[in-house]
Amino acid sequence: MTQMDHIALDEQARAILRGNDRGGYTVPTAGLYPYQWNWDSAFAAWGFAQFDVGRAWQEVETLFSGQWPNGMVPHILFHKPDPGYFPGPDVWGTQGKGPILSSGISQPPVAATFVRAIWEKDRAAGEPRARALFPRLRDWHRWFMDWRAEDGAICITHPWEAGRDNAPDWDGAMAAIDPVGVGEYTRRDTSHVDPAMRPTKYDYDRYIWLVQLGKRLGWDEAALKEHNPFRVADPTMTFILLRANRDLAAMGRALGEDVSEIEEWTAALEAGAAALWNEDLASYDAKDVRAGRFAGCVSSASFLCWYGGVDDDRMLAQVERVWGAVRYPVPSHDPESPEFNAKRYWRGPTWCIINALIGIGMADAGHAAQADQLRTGTAALVARHGFAEYFDPTDGSPAGGGTFTWTAAVWLGWASPSAGRA
Ligand code: GLC
């Protein structure tokens, strides 16, 4: 890539963030995702921080304006009605639960890590904003520890909560659901993009059935913990919360706050992460808590161990095998598994956000060569194939939505040769 190329791409990435700005928050992409999504927004803030720190703070502040009194930060905030999206606020039925109409589940808590990075851009100017967000981030992390931790591993209660909607990791737990009474509904996602790149009807029936269950139980966490058949310990959640928690503690210390509770969570999460090691698979894996069974999946989330601060050389063999099997790593699912599908969302495609997190973690752990390979490979992928939602790992072809916020953000924050990488 020439210098001219990457400067033009930097420009394009900034234009995508500006173009997806709806006034205080960005949408992931127009049409397909017309609201504010939780972890998308945290990535967007990281992207904005590379050229407009004030706008970066605002993105996170708008996200936290939707925090529920129990500490949960929803995975979608429905700021303005949009009939082009399903399931909307009526299906979720969360009216009265939080300050803004929203979904009833959360998403991977990358926010604290990016808030710390934004703050590092200008500590003095950012201090009042960091001070205001700190207790909100802590309440959210506490909510995870109270309601989602099983022996320190963080569970999801809906596949959408992991942000890896149709990953094969959930197939076992999904098969245990009989989506009886789900009724008729009209999907909107498949009118925006090719259905072959989206989850199947089989999966969608279960997604909606789980939303209906949550609504019926009034989104009461205690009731859900008892009655929800879907409860899967997830490497994405566990490793991401582990890192976010350390970053939150570092912020708290710098702000003169008591962080002893946060440090206890870190110790618990470390034990939880270790429990996700599947010896038979020789990899970190998801675990169905209800059935007491590992999923048996090497996914891109398995490689987040380093990001979580777990320096585990045993995963290097998987790096070699899995990354070596495709042209553009990291595939979201093991390319040598029968479930691998190069086009279908989280069952094979490469996602730049996961690459960035893996790359950052590997660089921290001293695996500089692999981290660099991943970063330059991701940069080449975007330079050749654009700012797509995700990519076919075998040939790089773009898939899903275009002009995607988080792909642009990852470009600016990490993949671009001019990225600050902080
Ligand atoms: C899909 C992705 C999820 C993301 C959302 C908006 O549901 O699986 O991770 O947050 O789209 O981009």
Side-chain angles (χ1 to χ4, degrees):
M1 197 185 326
T2 67
Q3 205 186 351
M4 278 301 286
D5 288 339
H6 80 74
I7 288 173
L9 287 163
D10 291 351
E11 197 54 50
Q12 266 182 47
R14 287 190 288 266
I16 288 172
L17 290 185
R18 295 275 190 228
N20 288 337
D21 187 347
R22 295 292 178 271
Y25 70 94
T26 48
V27 296
T29 189
L32 184 61
Y33 302 116
Y35 299 111
Q36 183 175 24
W37 261 259
N38 186 321
W39 71 329
D40 297 67
S41 254
F43 280 101
W46 185 38
F48 276 122
Q50 314 307 318
F51 64 102
D52 184 346
V53 178
R55 182 63 188 77
W57 281 113
Q58 189 188 26
E59 184 77 26
V60 186
E61 288 160 356
T62 309
L63 177 65
F64 275 82
S65 72
Q67 185 168 32
W68 287 16
N70 68 357
M72 199 271 279
V73 183
H75 104 291
I76 307 175
L77 297 180
F78 300 114
H79 292 288
K80 285 183 231 146
D82 192 312
Y85 182 81
F86 177 86
D90 293 346
V91 184
W92 286 95
T94 58
Q95 286 80 354
K97 300 296 289 185
I100 295 174
L101 280 179
S102 71
S103 70
I105 56 170
S106 200
Q107 252 190 341
V110 285
T113 296
F114 291 134
V115 166
R116 185 180 179 197
I118 296 164
W119 190 27
E120 295 298 343
K121 294 277 178 196
D122 185 344
R123 275 220 181 192
E127 187 173 324
R129 303 178 96 160
R131 229 174 244 297
L133 276 171
F134 176 80
R136 294 184 150 241
L137 286 159
R138 187 187 50 205
D139 289 352
W140 187 28
H141 289 198
R142 188 183 293 121
W143 174 85
F144 275 112
M145 298 311 293
D146 285 349
W147 295 113
R148 294 291 187 271
E150 291 284 347
D151 298 326
I154 303 298
C155 299
I156 55 166
T157 57
H158 190 296
W160 289 340
E161 205 159 47
R164 298 187 292 129
D165 305 14
N166 65 339
D169 305 43
W170 330 129
D171 285 1
M174 290 285 266
I177 295 174
D178 179 5
V180 65
V182 73
E184 292 293 314
Y185 59 90
T186 306
R187 285 174 67 167
R188 300 287 177 191
D189 58 321
T190 42
S191 60
H192 296 286
V193 301
D194 179 354
M197 297 177 178
R198 299 287 307 176
T200 57
K201 172 164 169 52
Y202 171 94
D203 279 332
Y204 237 85
D205 280 352
R206 285 159 181 78
Y207 299 152
I208 301 306
W209 187 88
L210 283 168
V211 171
Q212 291 169 347
L213 173 72
K215 180 179 180 180
R216 219 168 32 248
L217 296 176
W219 299 104
D220 178 276
E221 291 295 347
L224 275 162
K225 193 166 177 183
E226 200 181 329
H227 298 293
N228 186 347
F230 189 93
R231 193 166 172 86
V232 184
D234 169 30
T236 339
M237 283 290 189
T238 307
F239 290 130
I240 284 176
L241 186 59
L242 195 42
R243 186 182 190 101
N245 214 46
R246 288 207 188 89
D247 286 322
L248 187 63
M251 279 175 55
R253 268 181 232 110
L255 292 165
E257 299 272 351
D258 176 5
V259 296
S260 47
E261 181 187 17
I262 302 177
E263 282 164 350
E264 280 168 29
W265 297 336
T266 301
L269 286 161
E270 279 169 347
L276 295 184
W277 180 259
N278 178 346
E279 193 61 47
D280 297 337
L281 194 66
S283 176
Y284 290 99
D285 192 4
K287 193 172 192 176
D288 180 343
V289 166
R290 299 292 188 221
R293 249 197 321 263
F294 276 117
C297 295
V298 183
S299 73
S300 50
S302 307
F303 300 102
L304 290 173
C305 52
W306 296 286
Y307 182 77
V310 178
D311 190 7
D312 194 332
D313 280 356
R314 294 175 300 181
M315 279 305 290
L316 292 175
Q318 297 288 5
V319 166
E320 219 161 282
R321 183 181 69 81
V322 170
W323 300 19
V326 292
R327 181 152 175 221
Y328 292 105
V330 177
S332 44
H333 186 66
D334 185 347
E336 291 174 350
S337 135
E339 269 73 48
F340 175 81
N341 179 327
K343 301 267 184 231
R344 206 181 279 282
Y345 220 34
W346 290 95
R347 301 180 79 85
T350 289
W351 295 70
C352 293
I353 49 151
I354 303 288
N355 283 11
L357 303 184
I358 296 171
I360 289 170
M362 291 194 91
D364 284 356
H367 302 299
Q370 292 95 331
D372 210 52
Q373 178 204 342
L374 192 55
R375 192 182 55 73
T376 52
T378 307
L381 176 63
V382 172
R384 287 177 200 144
H385 299 284
F387 293 94
E389 183 179 7
Y390 51 94
F391 302 86
D392 180 328
T394 64
D395 63 6
S397 43
T403 55
F404 222 83
T405 291
W406 66 16
T407 309
V410 161
W411 174 267
L412 292 170
W414 177 72
S416 167
S418 45
R421 281 187 268 290

